[in-house]
Amino acid sequence: MRAANPEYLLAALRSIIKAKGLTYRELADRLGVPLSTFKRHLYSPNITLEKLLDYCQEADASLDELQKLAIKLQHDNDSFFSHTQDEVFYLFPQLYDFYRELRHLRNQDSYDYMRKKYGLDKTSTYAYLRALEMLGLVKLAEDNKIQLNGPYYYRFSDDSKLSEKYKDILKEQALENPNCVRVGFSRMYLKEDQLESLNKLLAKEVLKYHSENMQSEATGEELLRNVLLFVTHHQPLTFSDGISALPNSFLQDIRKTIVQFEEQGA
């Protein structure tokens, strides 16, 4: 059996704790560890083996059980950002916006494209890319060629701060509108004939449900609905105020942040 990454071992431990109905405070009290320290340890990939074994024992879980669950989580969730990547992107949203656009470029010289589109100098462009390389998401070549690492699409984990921020932005943009739609997609490549097919499909389904409710006498003012299909041009959803020139301390700040999250609880 291959070894699981420390991050997934911790995710497995958190899952076991939750499944057994235990609380962090309960376990921290039993172990004589401050709650804040215990929480940090559960997210620190540099946790010592001794601490990990202590926590497993207190949660009544064997190391073999933890390893098997961690392997499954790692297999299922390889498209998730790591805790460190998520935290860094949350604290430096312009870096995440840069990365999101970089991943969606097609058949273009991404280095020159990003530099020219956002009016970046070579120093700032390199700083963005070097920060992503430090996070393990890109690999830089000497000729400014960029190799993207990992799957094309990344997902947010349940406890992702980026996920919460994404929801907040969507809510601000759309969900607080009294006429908001119930279902929404963005960045969809659709032709006019495909949109027409969707219109026909929606009309058919709405009329079918309407007829069923009429026949079953499931009617009344509270059930009356206006159903509209909105199709608009995609507007980019950004996490920052924009991709712009970076301060000279940017890479140093990124490095410190990565070290901070990777060494917590070590």
Side-chain angles (χ1 to χ4, degrees), residues 94-95 97-99 101-102 105 110-130 132 146 240 242-247 250:
Q94 72 273 37
L95 180 61
D97 286 339
F98 186 97
Y99 177 67
E101 180 155 355
L102 194 68
L105 293 178
S110 50
Y111 176 90
D112 285 335
Y113 177 87
M114 295 296 288
R115 185 172 63 85
K116 292 176 182 178
K117 179 176 180 179
Y118 293 102
L120 301 173
D121 58 25
K122 293 182 178 180
T123 301
S124 285
T125 307
Y126 172 78
Y128 277 112
L129 294 170
R130 176 66 185 115
L132 293 174
I146 302 164
S240 68
I243 298 170
S244 57
L246 298 171
F250 180 75

Side-chain angles (χ1 to χ4, degrees), residues 135-203:
L135 289 171
L137 295 171
V138 304
K139 183 177 180 180
L140 302 179
E142 293 182 359
D143 56 356
N144 290 330
K145 296 298 182 183
I146 302 164
Q147 175 184 326
L148 297 172
N149 296 331
Y152 179 66
Y153 286 110
Y154 276 92
R155 296 178 292 161
F156 296 130
S157 59
D158 290 340
D159 57 355
S160 164
K161 289 184 178 179
L162 279 179
S163 178
E164 291 303 314
K165 188 167 186 176
Y166 183 81
K167 293 174 188 175
D168 289 341
I169 294 171
L170 282 179
K171 182 177 180 181
E172 182 179 346
Q173 286 189 359
L175 299 183
E176 290 181 349
N177 186 318
N179 298 317
C180 72
V181 295
R182 297 291 183 90
V183 178
F185 299 93
S186 66
R187 299 186 71 92
M188 298 292 104
Y189 294 101
L190 296 172
K191 299 177 181 179
E192 284 300 321
D193 61 329
Q194 294 167 336
L195 289 173
E196 182 59 29
S197 295
L198 287 174
N199 287 338
K200 293 178 180 179
L201 180 62
L202 177 63

Side-chain angles (χ1 to χ4, degrees), residues 42-60:
L42 290 181
Y43 285 92
S44 171
N46 288 325
I47 187 173
T48 64
L49 179 59
E50 182 181 4
K51 282 192 178 76
L52 184 62
L53 289 172
D54 286 344
Y55 294 169
C56 283
Q57 183 177 0
E58 205 60 47
D60 193 24

Side-chain angles (χ1 to χ4, degrees), residues 90-108:
Y90 179 78
L91 293 174
F92 301 91
Q94 72 273 37
L95 180 61
Y96 181 60
D97 286 339
F98 186 97
Y99 177 67
R100 289 176 74 233
E101 180 155 355
L102 194 68
R103 292 204 72 86
H104 285 93
L105 293 178
R106 284 289 184 271
N107 301 321
Q108 301 186 63

